[in-house]
Amino acid sequence: MYAFDYHRPTSLRQAAAMLQKTEDAMIVAGGHTLLPTMKQRLAQPSALIDLGGLSELRGIEKKGRAVVIGAMATHADVAASDVVREAIPALAELAVTIGDPAVRHRGTIGGSVANNDPAADYPAACLGLGATIITNRRKIVAEEFFQGMFDTALDEGEIITKVSFPIPAKAAYAKFRNPASRYALVGVFVMKRGSEIRVAVIGAGSSGVYRWSEAEAALAKRFSPKSLDGMSASADDMNSDIHADSEYRAHLVGVMARRAVQAAVAR
Amino acid sequence: MASVTMTVNGKSVSADVDPRTLLVQFLREHLRLTGTHVGCDTSQCGACVVHVDGKAVKACTTLAVQAEGCDILTIEGLANGSELHPMQAAFREHHGLQCGYCTPGMIMTAVDMVNRLGHDIDEATIRHELEGNICRCTGYHNIVLAVEAGAKAMGGAGMREAAE
Ligand SMILES: Cc1cc2nc3c(=O)[nH]c(=O)nc-3n(C[C@H](O)[C@H](O)[C@H](O)COP(=O)(O)OP(=O)(O)OC[C@H]3O[C@@H](n4cnc5c(N)ncnc54)[C@H](O)[C@@H]3O)c2cc1C
Ligand code: FES
Ligand code: FES
């Protein structure tokens, strides 16, 4: 790692001020993406602003018809939260598929969403549930927040404080894990809320998380795995790497979507 | 330099460290607690697992300064004097190791698992929970047996303590 200064603010306001006045400063949350990146010298922040001291960013609560999760809630917090398990069990189940127990004890939802890794799980839940990303400056809907691989609508120095997930009628996440890294080779989040249907796909698309509109249209007629029979995504804009080529990923999108719908219907 | 204060195995420690210092480096090189190992340094293998405020964490992917004010438990803090912790005793009894490199991390992960899931954990759960811990020697079979037995023994120990 290159050398850096370290700051541990005690309030959100202080954190924002530190980010503002320190050139090339970066936020560190769980550090489970950032520290490995810094070890490889792929990131060179002048300073790390650690959000670890801000307990105000850790809460999980039900607010009206949404579950609002603080940016510093760890994957383990989300997985174990009674509020989440009751209102959006699919989200708690998704959190359990992330990494391993030790990773889940450190990694945070805010860090995962800010990072927008094309193989991470939370972007699929955000887009699939129609979440709103709340920052210290504004609210951004998921469609506008995720802007392609590792790219988001966040401005320099902007801090995610919460993510608000509207509660669905039915939802489920099906993930085909890369057995070594445990990231999603393909993950599909499906959701039904009244007449609204969403199918969000992660791991496959070459510009990160996206909605599979053909599947949404088919499910709008009838919300059943049968509606997706024979459907597979187009391999054109799919990732291709040593783990899976684009055709295999396209095939998996169809399989995972059917499994997710099946699980959602069974609730 | 940054100053950091934490409790390690029950003792309060303070130090001035380069902010780059990883928690595992701090434990091994500053405190000479070399029971916590570094296998991969890329958060894959789990040889570096310690408990931070009671939760299993990979110390190679945590900065020492991030542990400010935290309570750290390492493999050295597990035994009660010369009496092994029940999970350590189970690893010895069931021969849950060969070279022993992964063992401190395995045991810290196993204790965390029992703390969260209780004493009666089945093989499938144990294998799933050990996903973040890699062993290059044993083939896992005896590790899983050891964790299962250690979990039960931890329950027994708790019951004995309560009865006394
Ligand atoms: C072994 C291993 C396995 C993993 N497996 C999976 C997996 O299966 N699925 C998965 O989805 N992820 C996986 N991850 C990633 C893990 O979930 C990360 O913890 C997560 O992606 C990033 O969260 P973090 O809190 O660690 O963020 P950090 O590493 O601290 O930060 C990541 C980035 O986000 C920025 N950031 C952090 N918080 C905020 C905020 N509140 N506002 C604005 N910007 C912010 C940081 O500046 C940095 O650029 C894995 C990681 C490891 C090490
Ligand atoms: S050394 Fe930390 S996970 Fe391998
Ligand atoms: S006993 Fe050698 S690595 Fe596990």
Side-chain angles (χ1 to χ4, degrees), chain A:
Chain A
M1 277 189 250
Y2 295 109
F4 56 86
D5 294 329
Y6 174 81
H7 303 289
R8 195 179 171 87
T10 51
S11 71
L12 186 60
R13 185 181 286 265
Q14 200 187 10
M18 284 172 172
L19 271 172
Q20 203 74 299
K21 71 163 196 259
T22 321
E23 202 179 334
D24 295 329
M26 279 181 90
I27 293 170
V28 64
H32 270 50
T33 292
L34 186 54
L35 294 177
T37 313
M38 288 169 66
K39 283 184 184 181
Q40 291 179 41
R41 297 196 161 188
L42 294 173
Q44 189 178 3
S46 65
L48 288 186
I49 315 292
D50 187 355
L51 303 185
L54 306 184
S55 51
E56 64 200 269
L57 296 188
R58 230 175 143 166
I60 299 178
E61 55 176 353
K62 199 169 152 203
K63 254 192 163 166
R65 285 193 217 169
V67 171
V68 182
I69 303 182
M72 288 300 289
T74 64
H75 309 326
D77 290 340
V78 173
S81 158
D82 288 336
V83 174
V84 178
R85 285 158 63 133
E86 197 184 305
I88 319 181
L91 193 57
E93 285 160 17
L94 172 145
V96 178
T97 71
I98 300 177
D100 57 58
V103 168
R104 294 195 287 276
H105 281 148
R106 293 290 302 169
T108 67
I109 188 169
S112 178
V113 169
N115 196 48
N116 192 16
D117 188 309
D121 299 292
Y122 274 122
C126 291
L127 192 60
L129 287 164
T132 300
I133 308 345
I134 301 166
T135 77
N136 58 337
R137 299 181 193 160
R138 57 190 167 138
K139 296 180 174 179
I140 313 167
V141 294
E143 272 83 350
E144 286 161 26
F145 184 86
F146 299 106
Q147 303 196 334
M149 263 196 204
F150 297 107
D151 198 9
T152 70
L154 287 175
D155 288 330
E156 202 137 314
E158 192 168 9
I159 304 173
I160 299 175
T161 55
K162 292 172 200 161
V163 184
S164 173
F165 294 94
I167 297 170
K170 288 182 191 303
Y173 182 60
K175 173 180 182 179
F176 192 95
R177 295 173 109 194
N178 176 325
S181 77
R182 294 176 292 279
Y183 275 93
L185 208 55
V186 167
V188 177
F189 198 101
V190 299
M191 187 281 297
K192 178 172 165 50
R193 192 187 296 114
S195 60
E196 187 187 11
I197 308 272
R198 285 175 179 244
V199 178
V201 180
I202 193 81
S206 56
S207 39
V209 66
Y210 69 94
R211 284 175 70 177
W212 186 17
S213 44
E214 289 89 348
E216 291 179 356
L219 290 168
K221 293 198 188 97
R222 184 162 164 243
F223 192 74
S224 152
K226 284 213 171 56
S227 306
L228 301 179
D229 269 353
M231 276 181 83
S232 68
S234 153
D236 286 351
D237 296 312
M238 294 276 161
N239 291 328
S240 210
D241 55 31
I242 55 163
H243 306 297
D245 64 19
S246 51
E247 255 139 56
Y248 183 49
R249 277 196 162 86
H251 172 71
L252 278 181
V253 169
V255 176
M256 291 301 120
R258 274 189 289 281
R259 284 189 194 169
V261 175
Q262 182 118 45
V265 169
R267 282 204 203 286

Side-chain angles (χ1 to χ4, degrees), chain B residues 28 56 67 77 92 147 152:
Chain B
R28 289 179 55 85
R92 182 170 67 179
V147 174
K152 291 211 167 66

Side-chain angles (χ1 to χ4, degrees), chain B residues 115-155:
Chain B
N115 290 344
R116 279 183 294 114
L117 304 176
H119 306 292
D120 205 9
I121 31 183
D122 62 20
E123 183 191 336
T125 308
I126 293 169
R127 287 187 183 271
H128 181 68
E129 286 279 326
L130 286 178
E131 263 177 344
N133 292 74
I134 294 174
C135 176
R136 296 270 68 180
C137 303
T138 62
Y140 301 96
H141 184 74
N142 284 359
I143 293 178
V144 174
L145 290 181
V147 174
E148 203 171 345
K152 291 211 167 66
M154 279 171 70

Side-chain angles (χ1 to χ4, degrees), chain B residues 55-136:
Chain B
K55 290 178 180 152
V57 156
K58 289 177 171 173
C60 74
T61 312
T62 306
L63 298 171
V65 287
Q66 285 179 295
E68 171 66 32
C70 292
D71 204 346
I72 312 295
L73 181 67
T74 73
I75 188 74
E76 288 90 346
L78 216 49
N80 181 6
S82 60
E83 190 193 334
L84 291 181
H85 182 278
M87 191 59 79
Q88 291 175 306
F91 268 70
R92 182 170 67 179
E93 178 67 24
H94 292 270
H95 197 56
L97 60 146
Q98 287 178 23
C99 78
Y101 202 86
C102 68
T103 314
M106 288 285 178
I107 291 179
M108 297 312 285
T109 298
V111 172
D112 171 77
M113 193 188 306
V114 178
N115 290 344
R116 279 183 294 114
L117 304 176
H119 306 292
D120 205 9
I121 31 183
D122 62 20
E123 183 191 336
T125 308
I126 293 169
R127 287 187 183 271
H128 181 68
E129 286 279 326
L130 286 178
E131 263 177 344
N133 292 74
I134 294 174
C135 176
R136 296 270 68 180

Side-chain angles (χ1 to χ4, degrees), chain B residues 2-17:
Chain B
S3 72
V4 63
T5 300
M6 63 183 93
T7 305
V8 179
N9 300 334
K11 281 198 218 102
S12 175
V13 292
S14 296
D16 284 324
V17 296

